[in-house]
Amino acid sequence: MSTLTVTAKGQVTLRKDLLEHLGVHPGDKISIEKLPGGRVEVRAVRPTGEIPDAFGFLKGKTNGRSLSIEEMNAVIADGWASKR
């Protein structure tokens, strides 16, 4: 069991070993559920979508046609060029 300290602002920092146990990384979200008796449950928030949800999400941007490898490479190159 870990003991954490509450700051003057009412904040608590989870230690690295707890974050690793939850499988969370910087930028990830966690959820806290209040339970009876002053207890809480901490869980890592995981995406709820399924793989098939991703199929076709770009279809509207390509007029329903698939991009060739050359077109994909051009889009990638343009993206890298704009970051520099």
Side-chain angles (χ1 to χ4, degrees):
M1 179 166 83
S2 294
T3 302
L4 306 174
T5 303
V6 179
T7 68
K9 291 183 178 182
Q11 299 173 335
V12 176
T13 301
L14 297 180
R15 291 193 175 86
K16 185 177 180 180
D17 65 315
L18 294 174
L19 296 173
E20 288 174 353
H21 180 74
L22 290 171
V24 296
H25 301 88
D28 289 351
K29 296 188 183 291
I30 59 170
S31 67
I32 310 290
E33 183 178 345
K34 294 185 232 178
L35 302 174
R39 296 175 52 163
V40 296
E41 181 176 89
V42 179
R43 291 182 178 211
V45 174
R46 301 287 181 231
T48 57
E50 297 180 14
I51 298 275
D53 296 340
F55 297 148
F57 80 100
L58 292 177
K59 193 175 262 186
K61 299 178 192 273
T62 61
N63 296 324
R65 69 177 184 83
S66 298
L67 295 177
S68 68
I69 295 294
E70 291 79 16
E71 290 170 316
M72 288 184 217
N73 287 336
V75 170
I76 293 166
D78 289 345
W80 277 107
S82 68
K83 300 252 182 208
R84 294 179 182 207

